[in-house]
Amino acid sequence: AAQNCYFKGGALTGELSPEMIKDFGLDWVILGHSERRNVFGEDDALIEKKSLAAVNAGLKVVGCIGEKLDDRKSGNTNKVVERQLNESFKSSIEKVGADFVIAYEPV
């Protein structure tokens, strides 16, 4: 599986489009990594664009969700992961159903 993709095709230095991933013969892409969210500042809206682009290109998606330690300690785990699930991946899950995998990765 590819570990990331961008939602647009074409030449974008340092990024892979869903089409490029397919050209490499891969069927899966992992999106929403905690590092992409927390280090690179990817928000739910961007992750949703990436996820829909991947699904529309025929890729299967592993969608990562998970709370930070502070969220867990303050009792916000469910709130955070529900928001991530609904705002990052809901449209893709509705489109492909059981072909979508969720990975829970708390930080």
Side-chain angles (χ1 to χ4, degrees), residues 93 96-101:
I93 293 170
V96 298
D99 283 338
F100 198 97
V101 175

Side-chain angles (χ1 to χ4, degrees), residues 10-65:
L12 294 164
T13 302
E15 295 291 342
L16 291 173
S17 70
E19 293 78 15
M20 292 170 73
I21 294 169
K22 294 288 286 183
D23 287 347
F24 286 123
L26 300 174
D27 295 320
W28 289 87
V29 62
I30 306 167
L31 298 172
H33 293 281
S34 59
E35 294 88 356
R36 300 296 303 186
R37 292 176 185 270
N38 298 312
V39 176
F40 296 101
E42 292 188 1
D43 62 11
D44 294 325
L46 176 59
I47 296 166
E48 181 182 38
K49 286 181 184 179
K50 290 175 159 192
S51 181
L52 281 171
V55 165
N56 288 335
L59 291 170
K60 295 177 183 173
V61 174
V62 176
C64 300
I65 60 172

